[in-house]
Amino acid sequence: MLKDKEFWLVAGGLSLAFLLYWFAGYPLFKEERLVMFLVISIMTGNLIYYIRYARKGGEIFLRSIPGLKAVEEAVGRSTEMGKSVLYVPGIMDMDQVETVAGVIILGHVSKMTSRYETSLNVPVSRSIVMKAARETVREAYTMEGRPDLFQDDMVHYLTDDQFAYAAGVNGIMVREKPAACLYMGKFFAESLILAETGNSIGAIQIAGTASQSQIPFFVTACDYTLIGEEFFAASAYLSQTPELMGGLKGQDMMKAGVTAAILLSLFMRILFDLGLIKWNIISILTVQ
Amino acid sequence: MMGPWIAAFLTLAIFSYLYKDNPFYKVAEHLFVGISTGYWTSMFFWTQIQPNLFGRLWPASEYNSDLIWYKLYNVLGVFSSVFPDGGIDKGHHMELLYLLPFALGIMMLLSVSSKLSWMARWGIAYTVGMAAGLRAYGFLNSNVLGQIKGSAFQIFNSDLPFFALASESIFNNFIILIGTITGLMYFYFSREHTGNFGKLSKLGIYFLMISFGASFGFAVMGRISLLIGRFVDLITYSGSAYNHATLWLLLVMILLLGYSAFFDKNSVSDNESAE
Amino acid sequence: MDKIFDFILRAGKVDRRWIFLIIGLAVLLPLFFPLGLPIRATIATQKVYDAVEALEENSKVLLSFEYGPSTKPEIHPMAIGLLKHLFTNGHKVYVTCLWPDGQFMADEALTEVAEEEFNLTYGEDYVVLGFRPGNEAVVKGMVSNIRKLYTTDARGTLVDEIPLMKGINKVADFDFIFSASAGYPGTLEWVQYASDPTGVPLSTGTTSIMVNDIMPMVNSGQVQGILAGMPGAAEYEALIGSPGIGTSGMDAQSIAHLVIVLFIVFGNITYFIEVQRSKKY
Amino acid sequence: MLWKRQIPILLATIVGLSTLFGWFIDHPGIESFVNDDATQWYDILASFAIFLGALNLMKLQGKKVLKQQSGWQYSLFAIGGFLFAIVAGFVYKGNDAVEWGIHVTSKGTLFKWMFEYMFTPLSATMFALLAFFVASASYRAFRVRNLEATLLLVSGIIIMVGRVPLGSSISSWFIMYLLVLISSIAVNIKFKDKKITFGALFVGVLIVTVWGSALGWPLDQPGIFYLPVLQDWIYNNPNVAGARAIMIGIGLGIFATSIRYIIGVEKSYIGE
């Protein structure tokens, strides 16, 4: 695991420099914020380490995500029933991380629809998203050796407005009656309208979003939901880009670190309350 | 006096969407897009650009009409509302360094033409960079460190009872600790969720679901409160003081929508509304 | 038995506009015929009340308005209730806004409470610094030097000429912060960039949908209690003993909640029947 | 490529690092630049971003009108609404006693009239629509399709009813009898034997009645079945645990994304 010599050289050098600076009386440094400085440096180092690890082709394991398996089943079901797959990449633009993740998962879905020759319908609400999504779907169809199946209007622009877009997508659902509806991206209150109509036409519905306030509605109205970080992990895994995979692994390590920190500080609190140690963990963690 | 009538009309026009996506709704919707953009533009200009940018470039405290800089200002004085005579008096001293953000801002405006669209990137890079610098510290300190501190609760010689349903107690704090740790385990991707680890992450998703249930309950509560607020306004506008604006407009709208519904029945139109 | 199930199944496919009509009436009727059900304070609301009560005589309180017309029914009653509470206890109020609409909401609340009810003088008992764009950067700027950000108040007077502003140079000079917030920027930004770094105690009142994002910070003590949506506002009005718009909406809220719970239960009954039926055939 | 790519990435890195180190530097001069001037520049650029949005909107709506695309008549209202707001903001004050710049917030001006009678009803009603959509979704979409959704709906319902005044008038005894009824239905589905079901129902009712009369039937005792108390417990404990896990997860996620922006690895903001 710790084979990245170059990284450790630089990290060792920097910490040495900081130690010297510290013993030289740390001029111009806010002493009460030392804890935060150390936490930020350790976590940044951890992130950089894993991004380099991923860039050098290091193997990164990812647990199976139930929502992703459900997507494959849903596309399979649509193929059996000879119906289309409806894919909604959220209502925001490409500057939102969730929309980028939605387009990545669209690539994965369009690989399947090209293999099974299922018809795919992708209504979008932003012109830049249309260009990016069209590019992703064309690339997926060509990689699967079926460029002939790809048509431009599989990915089509409806409108920028939130509720007019929801009404338009509802119209498509009621008319085409797709067997699978996939909602992957950033959503606001219109998620209710989409999930409700999808439910009324009996489609399998799978949603993926990090929009906090919409997750409860998707969980109850859809068959499967990729919740918050699961959504990002799925898109990182499917994109196979080193930065995303490395970032994902780095964040996992930070989560493990935070869990350990919680248990450790609880333990130190017990020792302090019983008078066995003098450091009060609460004041250490209070950085002003 | 016309105000309440317009307010009542716009409210009913948006509510008419519930019947179906009709022209009243489309008009109100587009008006909303136009007005809100113009409203935000005016607010942002008059609370930041004019006082804190132009106010620092041409402050009244250092007004001196011999300088070329202030001669240029007098030329701009043709827009007297923005550049009043004698400089902008907002309590600033001259800081020409503010020409930098001004230049970045102008570049952003020029990016509206597709050829120069790359120019917006410098301004966006500045805002993205600063937001990253602020949030990296802010979220780590308050949302992570603060929560670790919140989880290290007092067990020994604390004045909390061991068990109490309605108030804080050590038992409740244990529940929160277990829920937090198992919840974090659910979002751990580097290990398959099998065996004991799988059982704990299963417990974690149950805690997360209770939390989503609370958000769900509160979301419904919030939506209902907003509807109550609108109905209270509509009731006030239907009072005699506003000569029953809501009632008249409601009547007119129902008649028009009823007529168009009757008219549609004959031609089977491809109705894209939220059926 | 099957006839009943058929009826339930057919009712399950009813046009959604009937549902709109039912929920519309469930909200409208209680506004005409109030039931006056009793209101009971919850722990989180009590914490806010105690935090304000604990302030010593004429403390300097920073009240920030981050909501607009679309979320006014939930938060405006809180702002009015809080202003009454602060002025009754004789505190000085400084108003800032992170949302442009916040300024209109602040003027409306202050006109109703400060001018009409308590007839206080602007500039000596309360001051409105107004809106500045920039989200969290505005909070960060206020924490380090408020006078560089606000050289004038919302009425155009130079800050140095306002008596109440004497001795106020940054957020740490305030004794208490209250954020009436409906989203971003709002409570979270005030905790992250003002309250946590400076230690000034902070309470908040938010829309229902945002409450759960702040609850962990209420539990960890970073936020001294939270007024949660319209019910929170009604409870606070009951605690300070002046029922207002928050309380009057509560009957409609109760009935509407009951209707929605019945919808969920009824919807799931049709769901169970469909599942049982599909298993049989 | 230097102007379009290298410089923006370099700018983001420099500004990001200076803001991040700004938290730790204890030097009045540097601190005042990083915390006051740099944030003022951010506020200025945020304003220009809004003006850019306005220009893009007008470009989009204008093109729609000129090319007479479908629904272009409505775009006239969008442009008209925008121009009306600009007139109220920059051309006609409506109350000359007020200075320019202060008119956007003071009484009696055309701008305040537009806010009160046009902006407020439009934005408030747009949100109020959601109450109707929640109601219809509650009826037609929210199903207890698996254990997770069941937990979500049950805790949601307890909190919704427990938090409103109506909840405090529902006695804990009513809830206990309701639970007995639900568990007997579950027993019926499981064993499909009428005798066992009625047996369970009878025993349940008996226990509740005996317990009730022993306690004297108070409205809010035992607390665990009194909705407001149960709601407060759920809300302040298991809910906080779940919300804390989510908060930590998102906090780490935003920290990681911010660091990727600062070290120049994340370049989505320039469309890559």
Side-chain angles (χ1 to χ4, degrees):
Chain A
M1 176 76 102
L2 309 177
K3 289 188 295 305
D4 191 341
K5 225 190 271 28
E6 204 183 78
F7 171 83
W8 290 112
L9 265 175
V10 168
L14 282 177
S15 1
L16 203 65
F18 182 73
L19 276 176
L20 292 176
Y21 167 74
W22 185 258
F23 290 120
Y26 50 89
L28 299 184
F29 186 82
K30 275 197 174 142
E31 189 214 346
E32 65 275 15
R33 292 191 173 165
L34 175 64
V35 170
M36 269 307 283
F37 185 80
L38 295 179
V39 170
I40 287 181
S41 326
I42 293 165
M43 288 201 172
T44 306
N46 158 58
L47 272 176
I48 292 173
Y49 177 83
Y50 279 107
I51 289 174
R52 287 169 55 89
Y53 175 78
R55 272 195 180 143
K56 292 211 296 298
E59 183 40 42
I60 287 183
F61 172 81
L62 181 78
R63 71 165 165 92
S64 54
I65 296 180
L68 271 188
K69 270 212 301 304
V71 166
E72 269 136 37
E73 283 154 26
V75 174
R77 180 166 178 249
S78 310
T79 323
E80 281 152 34
M81 299 167 70
K83 289 200 178 152
S84 64
V85 170
L86 178 76
Y87 192 93
V88 177
I91 64 161
M92 293 302 282
D93 221 324
M94 288 306 279
D95 63 338
Q96 292 286 336
V97 182
E98 285 161 273
T99 317
V100 172
V103 170
I104 292 171
I105 295 181
L106 171 63
H108 174 67
V109 169
S110 34
K111 277 205 192 96
M112 284 191 274
T113 51
S114 63
R115 224 177 296 140
Y116 300 146
E117 287 169 18
T118 335
S119 70
L120 175 67
N121 189 332
V122 186
V124 292
S125 81
R126 298 291 162 115
S127 43
I128 303 171
V129 174
M130 184 182 72
K131 275 187 235 133
R134 210 170 254 172
E135 210 41 55
T136 309
V137 176
R138 173 185 288 114
E139 206 186 311
Y141 271 69
T142 348
M143 265 158 71
E144 289 297 316
R146 299 304 306 267
D148 52 313
L149 277 180
F150 173 75
Q151 292 119 14
D152 261 354
D153 56 17
M154 274 181 181
V155 180
H156 50 100
Y157 170 80
L158 287 185
T159 162
D160 264 47
D161 160 60
Q162 174 186 17
F163 287 128
Y165 176 71
V169 173
N170 277 0
I172 296 169
M173 283 185 191
V174 168
R175 268 197 321 280
E176 275 187 28
K177 289 213 174 356
C181 297
L182 309 178
Y183 315 107
M184 301 282 177
K186 191 164 183 66
F187 288 92
F188 293 94
E190 77 295 335
S191 62
L192 277 176
I193 309 171
L194 300 175
E196 188 202 326
T197 314
N199 217 316
S200 65
I201 60 167
I204 290 187
Q205 297 194 104
I206 300 161
T209 185
S211 319
Q212 268 299 89
S213 47
Q214 301 313 317
I215 290 174
F217 298 116
F218 276 137
V219 167
T220 52
C222 298
D223 300 285
Y224 267 100
T225 309
L226 295 174
I227 299 167
E229 294 182 63
E230 259 179 331
F231 176 56
F232 289 128
S235 64
Y237 186 71
L238 293 174
S239 70
Q240 287 301 325
T241 48
E243 285 74 17
L244 290 176
M245 291 295 282
L248 179 66
K249 182 77 177 174
Q251 265 176 255
D252 258 10
M253 290 304 127
M254 288 199 275
K255 238 166 268 167
V258 165
T259 314
I262 288 175
L263 295 174
L264 185 68
S265 22
L266 186 65
F267 184 61
M268 281 176 72
R269 175 83 192 251
I270 293 170
L271 296 180
F272 177 76
D273 288 342
L274 294 175
L276 298 173
I277 58 169
K278 58 177 175 24
W279 308 303
N280 177 353
I281 185 71
I282 296 303
S283 57
I284 294 172
L285 291 174
T286 315
V287 178
Q288 290 196 343
Chain B
M1 182 27 73
M2 241 212 333
W5 281 77
I6 291 180
F9 167 72
L10 293 175
T11 305
L12 293 172
I14 300 273
F15 273 145
S16 69
Y17 177 83
L18 296 172
Y19 168 60
K20 77 180 161 86
D21 194 352
N22 62 76
F24 286 119
Y25 169 74
K26 285 202 169 73
V27 162
E29 222 293 309
H30 279 77
L31 258 181
F32 177 41
V33 167
I35 286 177
S36 63
T37 311
Y39 164 76
W40 279 70
T41 304
S42 312
M43 270 306 234
F44 276 53
F45 180 83
W46 286 110
T47 54
Q48 181 64 18
I49 297 299
Q50 203 259 356
N52 284 343
L53 175 60
F54 296 150
R56 283 194 167 100
L57 296 179
W58 294 286
S61 55
E62 294 164 44
Y63 184 76
N64 165 358
S65 55
D66 315 334
L67 287 172
I68 309 143
W69 183 242
Y70 275 101
K71 283 200 172 55
L72 167 66
Y73 177 77
N74 293 337
V75 166
L76 290 170
V78 71
F79 302 105
S80 63
S81 60
V82 176
F83 304 100
D85 307 339
I88 298 171
D89 177 19
K90 291 290 179 185
H92 288 298
H93 54 273
M94 185 180 282
E95 291 178 81
L96 289 184
L97 205 57
Y98 274 71
L99 282 171
L100 274 175
F102 192 25
L104 285 179
I106 299 294
M107 279 175 74
M108 282 174 94
L109 296 186
L110 292 174
S111 75
V112 77
S113 88
S114 40
K115 270 199 320 314
L116 303 168
S117 66
W118 64 271
M119 278 193 165
R121 290 184 178 177
W122 292 26
I124 291 172
Y126 182 95
T127 45
V128 160
M130 168 157 282
L134 288 176
R135 287 184 188 149
Y137 184 96
F139 273 89
L140 204 60
N141 184 29
S142 301
N143 293 41
V144 178
L145 228 60
Q147 296 314 306
I148 294 174
K149 190 175 75 173
S151 313
F153 56 91
Q154 188 161 18
I155 298 172
F156 292 97
N157 54 47
S158 95
D159 42 22
L160 289 181
F162 180 75
F163 178 78
L165 194 61
S167 67
E168 279 168 48
S169 62
I170 295 176
F171 169 75
N172 287 350
N173 284 336
F174 261 115
I175 297 265
I176 295 175
L177 180 74
I178 295 160
T180 307
I181 292 180
T182 49
L184 279 173
M185 279 183 184
Y186 178 78
F187 287 121
Y188 191 72
F189 299 102
S190 309
R191 207 195 112 116
E192 201 55 63
H193 284 194
T194 51
N196 287 338
F197 192 87
K199 288 200 193 65
L200 286 176
S201 85
K202 194 81 184 159
L203 180 62
I205 193 68
Y206 293 155
F207 274 98
L208 293 172
M209 282 304 150
I210 291 177
S211 184
F212 287 137
S215 317
F216 168 80
F218 270 80
V220 169
M221 200 183 303
R223 305 281 192 238
I224 301 291
S225 318
L226 303 183
L227 182 60
I228 293 170
R230 283 325 295 149
F231 278 163
V232 165
D233 281 1
L234 276 181
I235 292 168
T236 11
Y237 290 144
S238 64
S240 53
Y242 302 93
N243 38 57
H244 316 297
T246 320
L247 306 176
W248 288 114
L249 290 164
L250 195 60
L251 197 66
V252 166
M253 222 174 252
I254 289 171
L255 289 176
L256 282 174
L257 288 178
Y259 171 72
S260 84
F262 175 75
F263 182 73
D264 283 353
K265 275 221 168 24
N266 314 354
S267 63
V268 180
S269 72
D270 177 2
N271 183 335
E272 285 232 0
S273 79
E275 235 38 84
Chain C
M1 200 53 169
D2 270 350
K3 249 200 304 357
I4 304 168
F5 284 165
D6 288 343
F7 166 72
I8 292 174
L9 282 183
R10 236 183 306 90
K13 298 285 176 293
V14 81
D15 184 332
R16 56 205 293 251
R17 281 173 284 194
W18 288 112
I19 301 166
F20 293 160
L21 195 64
I22 296 168
I23 194 72
L25 292 174
V27 169
L28 198 61
L29 296 179
L31 291 177
F32 287 106
F33 317 105
L35 306 157
L37 299 163
I39 290 169
R40 224 180 115 276
T42 52
I43 301 170
T45 311
Q46 191 66 49
K47 274 187 186 168
V48 175
Y49 182 79
D50 300 340
V52 174
E53 279 295 308
L55 294 172
E56 321 105 51
E57 191 62 27
N58 81 68
S59 317
K60 302 188 182 71
V61 174
L62 175 62
L63 173 54
S64 190
F65 284 71
E66 282 93 50
Y67 65 96
S70 54
T71 47
K72 185 175 170 192
E74 290 194 274
I75 304 193
H76 207 55
M78 296 176 195
I80 289 175
L82 189 82
L83 282 172
K84 284 180 185 166
H85 196 181
L86 289 172
F87 288 134
T88 329
N89 292 9
H91 298 305
K92 303 292 175 193
V93 172
Y94 300 73
V95 170
T96 59
C97 315
L98 296 181
W99 287 30
D101 325 348
Q103 250 179 254
F104 294 107
M105 300 295 128
D107 285 345
E108 207 179 305
L110 285 167
T111 319
E112 182 184 329
V113 179
E115 283 162 22
E116 282 150 17
E117 197 175 327
F118 287 80
N119 50 58
L120 303 167
T121 48
Y122 182 84
E124 270 149 34
D125 299 305
Y126 66 98
V127 68
V128 180
L129 294 173
F131 165 70
R132 286 293 180 277
N135 304 333
E136 52 256 58
V138 169
V139 180
K140 180 83 176 157
M142 272 195 246
V143 167
S144 80
N145 181 353
I146 202 165
R147 286 173 182 267
K148 197 143 187 164
L149 184 66
Y150 287 103
T151 48
T152 63
D153 72 350
R155 301 184 182 191
T157 348
L158 289 174
V159 160
D160 307 333
E161 292 155 10
I162 302 174
L164 198 58
M165 284 302 285
K166 228 186 281 334
I168 296 284
N169 294 311
K170 48 187 174 9
V171 163
D173 302 332
F174 291 113
D175 304 315
F176 188 69
I177 304 173
F178 187 91
S179 162
S181 118
Y184 168 81
T187 314
L188 191 61
E189 282 62 42
W190 279 107
V191 171
Q192 289 173 336
Y193 302 106
S195 174
D196 270 357
T198 61
V200 174
L202 173 139
S203 279
T204 185
T206 69
T207 50
S208 302
I209 203 156
M210 242 191 76
V211 174
N212 229 14
D213 302 343
I214 306 294
M215 272 312 277
M217 290 181 165
V218 174
N219 176 275
S220 70
Q222 289 164 288
V223 175
Q224 324 276 337
I226 183 167
L227 302 182
M230 188 183 266
E235 287 157 25
Y236 193 69
E237 282 171 356
L239 283 173
I240 57 171
S242 82
I245 8 174
T247 317
S248 58
M250 282 320 286
D251 296 331
Q253 189 100 38
S254 294
I255 305 299
H257 279 206
L258 202 62
V259 164
I260 289 211
V261 167
L262 292 178
F263 277 165
I264 294 175
V265 170
F266 198 73
N268 276 287
I269 291 171
T270 40
Y271 173 66
F272 272 122
I273 296 165
E274 277 154 12
V275 166
Q276 297 292 31
R277 285 257 171 111
S278 62
K279 273 204 188 105
K280 243 177 244 162
Y281 302 132
Chain D
M1 277 313 269
L2 175 70
W3 300 99
K4 293 185 183 171
R5 200 169 169 285
Q6 262 83 13
I7 289 186
I9 294 173
L10 193 64
L11 190 58
T13 304
I14 292 168
V15 172
L17 281 176
S18 66
T19 316
L20 191 57
F21 282 108
W23 289 95
F24 300 105
I25 291 165
D26 194 357
H27 175 279
I30 302 172
E31 248 187 306
S32 113
F33 175 74
V34 167
N35 293 337
D36 298 337
D37 290 314
T39 52
Q40 278 290 299
W41 294 11
Y42 180 93
D43 306 343
I44 290 166
L45 288 175
S47 314
F48 275 106
I50 294 291
F51 307 153
L52 175 60
L55 288 178
N56 276 330
L57 177 79
M58 283 306 116
K59 184 174 142 187
L60 182 82
Q61 302 288 349
K63 205 162 59 176
K64 214 170 176 183
V65 170
L66 296 179
K67 288 201 186 128
Q68 312 248 322
Q69 290 161 352
S70 77
W72 63 273
Q73 305 86 343
Y74 298 116
S75 297
L76 289 176
F77 283 96
I79 296 169
F82 177 74
L83 294 180
F84 178 76
I86 291 301
V87 161
F90 295 93
V91 178
Y92 176 71
K93 270 194 288 192
N95 170 359
D96 293 332
V98 169
E99 221 187 286
W100 278 104
I102 315 303
H103 73 292
V104 286
T105 55
S106 19
K107 298 183 179 53
T109 61
L110 176 62
F111 198 79
K112 177 119 171 46
W113 183 89
M114 176 191 76
F115 177 81
E116 200 168 335
Y117 292 115
M118 297 186 86
F119 184 78
T120 298
L122 283 168
S123 73
T125 315
M126 190 61 89
F127 261 74
L129 275 185
L130 308 182
F132 293 98
F133 298 148
V134 161
S136 77
S138 315
Y139 184 65
R140 289 171 43 153
F142 297 156
R143 299 288 183 262
V144 280
R145 55 189 85 244
N146 47 41
L147 187 57
E148 281 92 355
T150 315
L151 258 176
L152 192 149
L153 280 177
V154 167
S155 67
I157 287 171
I158 291 174
I159 283 173
M160 261 165 66
V161 179
R163 218 163 229 294
V164 279
L166 190 72
S168 35
S169 40
I170 298 172
S171 85
S172 48
W173 299 104
F174 173 79
I175 302 290
M176 290 179 76
Y177 280 119
L178 192 66
L179 279 179
V180 165
L181 185 68
I182 292 168
S183 40
S184 52
I185 291 170
V187 158
N188 184 36
I189 294 170
K190 201 160 182 44
F191 297 105
K192 290 209 173 25
D193 173 348
K194 291 272 182 298
K195 273 203 297 320
I196 298 176
T197 317
F198 283 112
L201 189 66
F202 177 72
V203 164
V205 165
L206 191 69
I207 295 169
V208 167
T209 322
V210 164
W211 191 5
S213 47
L215 275 172
W217 303 100
L219 177 76
D220 58 356
Q221 286 303 329
I224 194 151
F225 294 113
Y226 184 54
L227 281 181
V229 170
L230 181 58
Q231 173 272 141
D232 244 353
W233 185 81
I234 290 178
Y235 195 67
N236 287 307
N237 298 298
N239 165 51
V240 161
R244 177 165 283 163
I246 294 166
M247 176 176 268
I248 291 174
I250 289 177
L252 292 176
I254 288 176
F255 171 78
T257 315
S258 303
I259 293 295
R260 289 210 311 264
Y261 275 124
I262 293 175
I263 57 177
V265 161
E266 177 73 44
K267 299 185 274 290
S268 56
Y269 63 92
I270 49 171
E272 255 168 39

